[in-house]
């Protein structure tokens, strides 16, 4: 039933796109844990000042954080590209489109197509803006339950419905016979474990794996249901929107962040990819009393638990926090550090840096993977384009993190990467591909 | 056209480079970042040279095959020169970055030495160059087809794989020699690097006579390898000590226990 499917799609789209504007900014890795923005007491700045002394360590740990982001982003892209190249379902044009992009692109004239895609992109972006504003309002008026429920339903849909479709298509591609009973058991287990890992507690690696998988699934949905020109336009416009929303004083994301700072509330990491928390295993003893929520030292997902008690911060909110403030998670750590016992940790800085993980909003994963996936789907089967986009996005991410370390200010992660990605996609597809093809025909090497 | 061909050619082309990456670069995040940045610089150089070639092709007579081939040769030479220019640009950028970091930090030592940067950036160039040359060919080798059905060489895949391996290793050696030469202001060495790159690329014009292209390429690889080894501070004595795990200076300097 196409309608039902679209309905489901819509609601998940709702939540997803809703979260995305919340987190289009992606990484705000603050290497030194310099997240002075999260309402930290001024005393923390004293500690941060000492960080200037070990720039080398900072550079090393900055590099470590960059790699901690490179790996999941790469994995997500690999999953998306592998699926696109093998499962033809995601590149087929079934004629179905999302409800947000009603205009069709199979028109007679180029001008009409351009107009339709512009309208589609405009509708999609306005939907995203509206949802971000709703989120801000909900957050401002403390409707945490609504936000929490919304996110719960969206991840439910992703983990059960979309993965069911994905699995079905993979089986079709490889001609694997599967009975519904086994399938039900598999999907049920996958979904339930996913919900537990993401919204509650679970092994860190498993949680990361699930977040990567749902980002990949979402990116695949976008790749399938967004027509060609619309997709590129949306990517371009959303990076502009991200830039504005994060940097402008009246931007919704900025308002969200400031409200969060005023309330001094911790985060809800349900839709944020996090690479830290492993340190808690070793640190548990000194910190247990302070961390009133985390009672099990071996649980890596302690902040999750914390967040639950705190009324559930929307992932989008967290997303924003992430982008703007960087390691909110580590902020708590540093807070604990400071409020706690310097005696227990004489050399605060190195271990601090190591234990400060890094977080990236899932929206960034989704858009990066969408770009690379679209590049591999649309670039006439050329792998060079995919590779070029991949490198461009990684370099964009690296530059964003570098800028963040230099300016120590909230910066959005989408613009630079997406710009590089788009430039390299079009340049490689139109300029480099014919050149390399000619070289390959004659077996010339450059 | 079988998976055996695919895997064989992939491992031939990327085996040494992947091993180098895994054993020396993968553990250090800073090196990985500089590797990817090197790959990016190579990509930009390729983009520029493709742009020029594309404009030239659009302006030319598309029917004339000889003119197209001539333009392609021109494109190859231009691309090689641009690659070396971008290698120099990357060198300059790294020097500036290093200076900036030194100025900021209280430490005397940089987190990564220029020689390591040379190696890593060369390998980055090599990875990207190799990938762009061979990935499409590898992807095609998985699909159906007959090699050389129109009378072309039967050894297309394997020769491509070997050539790619040579190119990747060569880029790494060129990187080391180039940076060392720039550090010591030995412009003759720089010219030799550029010249050898041009030589190797131009020899590939002789393809499909693989004797004419592969053998010189490998000879140049061996020569450059030796040169790079000595540039990086190696010597026969070092080599012997290293191979017998008796080089105490090296072990000490790298904080490794015996």
């Amino acid at each position: 039933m196409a309608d039902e499917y679209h309905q489901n799609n819509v609601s998940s789209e709702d939540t997803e796109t809703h979260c995305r504007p919340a987190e289009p900014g992606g990484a705000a890795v603050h290497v030194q844990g310099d997240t002075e923005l999260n309402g930290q007491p001024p005393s923390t700045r004293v500690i941060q000042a000492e960080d200037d002394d070990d720039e080398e360590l900072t550079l090393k740990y900055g590099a470590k954080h960059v790699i901690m982001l490179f790996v999941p982003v790469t994995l997500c892209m690999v999953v998306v590209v592998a699926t696109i190249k093998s499962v033809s379902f995601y590149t087929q044009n079934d004629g179905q489109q999302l409800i947000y992009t009603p205009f069709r692109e199979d028109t007679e004239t180029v001008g009409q197509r351009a107009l339709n895609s512009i309208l589609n992109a405009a509708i999609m972006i306005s939907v995203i803006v509206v949802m971000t504003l709703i989120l801000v309002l909900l957050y401002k008026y403390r409707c945490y339950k609504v936000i929490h429920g919304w996110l719960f339903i969206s991840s439910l849909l992703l983990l059960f419905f979309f993965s069911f479709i994905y699995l079905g298509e993979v089986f079709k591609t490889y001609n694997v016979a599967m009975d519904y009973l086994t399938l039900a058991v598999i999907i049920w287990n996958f979904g339930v474990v996913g919900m537990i890992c993401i919204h509650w507690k679970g092994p860190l690696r498993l949680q990361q794996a699930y977040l990567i998988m749902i980002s990949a699934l979402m990116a695949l949905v976008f790749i399938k249901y967004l027509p060609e020109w619309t997709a590129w336009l949306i990517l371009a416009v959303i990076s502009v929107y991200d830039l504005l929303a994060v940097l402008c004083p009246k931007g919704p994301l900025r308002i969200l962040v400031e409200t969060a700072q005023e309330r001094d509330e911790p985060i809800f990491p349900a839709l944020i990819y996090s690479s830290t928390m492993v340190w808690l295993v070793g640190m548990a003893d000194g910190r247990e009393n302070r961390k009133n929520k985390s009672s099990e030292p071996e649980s890596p997902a302690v902040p999750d638990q914390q967040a639950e008690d705190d009324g559930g911060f929307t992932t989008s909110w967290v997303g924003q926090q992430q982008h703007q403030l960087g390691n909110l998670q580590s902020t708590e750590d540093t807070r604990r550090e400071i409020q706690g016992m310097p005696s227990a940790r004489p050399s605060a800085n190195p271990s601090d840096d190591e234990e400060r993980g890094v977080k990236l909003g899932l929206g960034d994963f989704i858009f990066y993977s969408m770009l690379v996936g679209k590049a591999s789907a649309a670039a006439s089967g050329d792998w060079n384009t995919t590779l070029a986009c991949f490198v461009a996005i990684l370099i964009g991410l690296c530059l964003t993190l570098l800028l963040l370390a230099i300016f120590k200010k909230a910066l959005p992660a989408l613009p630079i990467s997406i710009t590089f990605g788009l430039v390299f996609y079009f340049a490689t597809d139109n300029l480099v591909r014919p050149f390399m093809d000619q070289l390959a025909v004659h077996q010339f090497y450059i | 056209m079988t998976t055996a061909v695919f895997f064989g050619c992939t491992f031939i082309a990327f085996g040494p480079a992947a091993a180098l990456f895994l054993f020396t670069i993968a553990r250090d995040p800073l090196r990985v970042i500089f590797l990817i940045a090197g790959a990016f610089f190579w990509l930009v150089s390729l983009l520029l040279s493709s742009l020029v070639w594309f404009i030239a092709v659009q302006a030319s007579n598309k029917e004339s095959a000889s003119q197209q081939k001539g333009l392609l040769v021109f494109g190859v030479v231009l691309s090689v020169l641009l690659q070396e220019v971008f290698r120099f640009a990357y060198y300059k950028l790294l020097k500036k970055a290093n200076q900036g970091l030194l100025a900021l930090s209280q430490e005397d030592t940089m987190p990564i030495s220029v020689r390591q940067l040379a190696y890593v950036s060369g390998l980055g160039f090599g990875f990207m160059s190799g990938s762009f040359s061979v990935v499409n060919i590898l992807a095609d080798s998985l699909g159906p087809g007959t090699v050389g059905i129109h009378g072309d060489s039967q050894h297309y895949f394997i020769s491509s794989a070997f050539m790619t391996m040579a190119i990747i290793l060569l880029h790494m050696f060129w990187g080391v020699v180039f940076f060392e030469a720039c550090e010591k202001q030995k412009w003759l060495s720089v010219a030799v690097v550029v010249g050898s790159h041009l030589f190797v690329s131009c020899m590939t014009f002789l393809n499909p006579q693989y004797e004419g292209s592969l053998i010189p390429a490998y000879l140049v690889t061996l020569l450059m390898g030796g040169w790079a080894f000595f540039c990086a501070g190696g010597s026969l004595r070092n080599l012997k000590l290293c191979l017998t795990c008796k080089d105490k200076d090296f072990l000490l300097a790298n904080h490794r226990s015996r």
Side-chain angles (χ1 to χ4, degrees), chain A residues 56 67 382-383 440 443 445, chain B residues 109 136 156 159-160 201 207 210:
Chain A
E56 179 179 325
I67 297 299
D382 193 35
W383 282 90
Q443 257 190 317
Y445 280 79
Chain B
T109 56
N136 276 331
Y156 185 77
S159 62
S160 300
S201 281
N207 277 337
Y210 299 123

Side-chain angles (χ1 to χ4, degrees), chain A residues 33-49:
Chain A
D34 234 348
T35 51
E36 60 274 11
L37 323 163
N38 195 23
Q40 286 241 11
S43 56
T44 63
R45 295 178 203 249
V46 174
I47 307 282
Q48 262 78 51

Side-chain angles (χ1 to χ4, degrees), chain A residues 281-355:
Chain A
V281 178
M283 294 257 306
D285 3 316
R287 312 278 179 283
E288 280 318 277
N289 44 355
R290 230 163 316 282
K291 292 186 68 27
N292 44 355
K293 329 283 188 188
S294 64
S295 40
E296 50 274 19
E298 60 277 1
S299 152
V302 170
D304 276 329
Q305 202 187 7
Q306 243 185 348
E308 288 278 312
D309 300 325
D310 288 315
F313 268 118
T314 70
T315 34
S316 27
W317 184 92
V318 181
Q320 269 84 28
Q321 286 274 344
Q322 288 327 112
H323 319 323
Q324 282 98 60
L325 312 184
N327 299 332
L328 287 182
Q329 208 59 39
S330 28
T331 322
E332 285 174 275
D333 308 343
T334 33
R335 210 183 295 155
R336 249 174 267 114
E337 269 301 302
I338 291 143
Q339 292 161 356
M341 29 4 38
S343 54
R345 322 188 10 64
S347 60
N349 276 332
S351 20
D352 247 7
D353 286 328
E354 274 206 52
E355 286 148 7

Side-chain angles (χ1 to χ4, degrees), chain A residues 222-265:
Chain A
F222 276 153
I223 292 170
K224 178 167 175 67
Y225 288 109
L226 285 179
E228 188 84 34
W229 292 15
T230 310
W232 298 119
L233 264 174
I234 286 180
L235 275 171
V237 178
I238 206 161
S239 33
V240 171
Y241 167 71
D242 191 28
L243 193 68
L244 293 174
V246 171
L247 296 179
C248 288
K250 282 294 170 194
L253 302 184
R254 197 152 169 173
I255 295 174
L256 215 60
V257 165
E258 283 159 12
T259 320
Q261 282 174 21
E262 284 164 34
R263 295 186 194 170
D264 197 18
E265 279 163 339

Side-chain angles (χ1 to χ4, degrees), chain A residues 106-129:
Chain A
D106 44 5
T107 57
E108 293 91 39
T109 64
V110 172
Q112 186 68 26
R113 185 177 185 186
L115 183 68
N116 280 358
S117 54
I118 291 174
L119 288 170
N120 276 340
I123 295 176
M124 189 88 171
I125 295 299
S126 14
V127 165
I128 289 175
V129 171

